[in-house]
Amino acid sequence: AQSVTQLGSHVSVSEGALVLLRCNYSSSVPPYLFWYVQYPNQGLQLLLKYTSAATLVKGINGFEAEFKKSETSFHLTKPSAHMSDAAEYFCAVGLGGGGNKLTFGTGTQLKVEL
Amino acid sequence: KAGVTQTPRYLIKTRGQQVTLSCSPISGHRSVSWYQQTPGQGLQFLFEYFSETQRNKGNFPGRFSGRQFSNSRSEMNVSTLELGDSALYLCASSSENRDLSTDTQYFGPGTRLTVL
């Protein structure tokens, strides 16, 4: 069975500062990894995904994540935070072999301050 | 293309009642998945349908059921509602490919169910 741990339920950064949201996964087989963002009263929007190609994955809105197998991590980063980045971020893991079942982490609420 | 649509957006029911939620996937998508989101349990997978067949199922009681129609629209039903069923129910659709290596799931805005 696979699982996801997101360290830090709340993260606060200043506008223009580096954003780092942590995600560690557990999987018995090579996983597919995803980051989603959720704005208030909305569904989830895919930021990026890792599917065993390049370990550094670039997504939308300037976000990127690096897959590190040795650390079982898939941390999300953005060099410079913008006020519009304030939202909840979810890391998710899925397995291949048919099907679209995702296991989500508990989420990290990102606050961006002036 | 229009996105994933879910109806209704908000719903209030009382304990013991049943409820049906609807999801219309993106045109051409054949996979529809359902998730429950609560503050306590987070996002949990309910089930997935592909071409009218249930392909995956999460760990929910039998009160939670679903189906998919030939036009890929999906419904989920919860019978004998309990207070703990209050949640945001999210539907996601993805293309006709087989798995996560190529699929991208697109989520709808959700249905907010409140059980009183």
Side-chain angles (χ1 to χ4, degrees):
Chain A
Q2 65 272 27
S3 65
V4 175
T5 301
Q6 290 185 242
L7 296 175
S9 59
H10 292 81
V11 170
S12 183
V13 299
S14 300
E15 191 174 34
L18 171 72
V19 175
L20 171 61
L21 304 182
R22 299 178 186 274
C23 172
N24 289 88
Y25 70 90
S26 172
S27 176
S28 56
V29 298
Y32 300 120
L33 295 162
F34 305 80
W35 275 99
Y36 282 87
V37 61
Q38 186 177 35
Y39 297 97
N41 299 315
Q42 293 188 27
L44 301 174
Q45 180 183 10
L46 179 69
L47 283 175
L48 49 82
K49 66 178 183 180
Y50 167 76
T51 58
S52 75
T55 56
L56 181 62
V57 182
K58 293 186 183 298
I60 62 172
N61 301 340
F63 285 95
E64 62 182 39
E66 186 173 7
F67 173 70
K68 292 187 176 181
K69 185 178 178 181
S70 61
E71 299 177 8
T72 60
S73 68
F74 191 57
H75 302 331
L76 181 71
T77 60
K78 181 174 181 178
S80 177
H82 191 272
M83 295 296 289
S84 61
D85 294 327
E88 189 155 23
Y89 292 78
F90 293 92
C91 182
V93 62
L95 300 180
N100 287 304
K101 177 183 176 181
L102 293 177
T103 299
F104 284 88
T106 51
T108 297
Q109 187 72 45
L110 176 65
K111 182 178 179 181
V112 182
E113 300 175 315
L114 287 172
Chain B
K1 282 184 178 179
V4 178
T5 58
Q6 293 187 245
T7 57
R9 290 293 310 278
Y10 301 90
L11 204 51
I12 300 175
K13 292 286 188 179
T14 57
R15 280 181 299 174
Q17 287 186 310
Q18 74 166 20
V19 67
T20 299
L21 312 181
S22 180
C23 172
S24 292
I26 292 171
S27 177
H29 285 190
R30 290 193 291 165
S31 168
V32 173
S33 299
W34 289 89
Y35 292 84
Q36 181 196 65
Q37 186 177 23
T38 60
Q41 299 297 319
L43 278 154
Q44 294 186 285
F45 174 80
L46 279 157
F47 27 65
E48 179 200 3
Y49 287 88
F50 183 86
S51 294
E52 302 180 64
T53 301
Q54 189 178 84
R55 185 159 70 171
N56 282 297
K57 188 177 188 304
N59 296 321
F60 279 82
R63 301 186 297 107
F64 292 81
S65 62
R67 59 178 176 170
Q68 187 180 33
F69 302 95
S70 58
N71 62 357
S72 293
R73 188 177 70 86
S74 177
E75 290 181 346
M76 67 163 283
N77 183 277
V78 187
S79 62
T80 319
L81 283 166
E82 301 177 359
L83 295 179
D85 298 332
S86 294
L88 180 66
Y89 290 88
L90 293 166
C91 165
S93 78
S94 59
S95 63
E96 66 275 11
N97 295 308
R98 285 300 294 171
D99 66 24
L100 293 168
S101 63
T102 50
D103 280 358
T104 293
Q105 290 197 60
Y106 296 90
F107 282 79
T111 293
R112 174 77 62 186
L113 172 64
T114 301
V115 181
L116 302 176

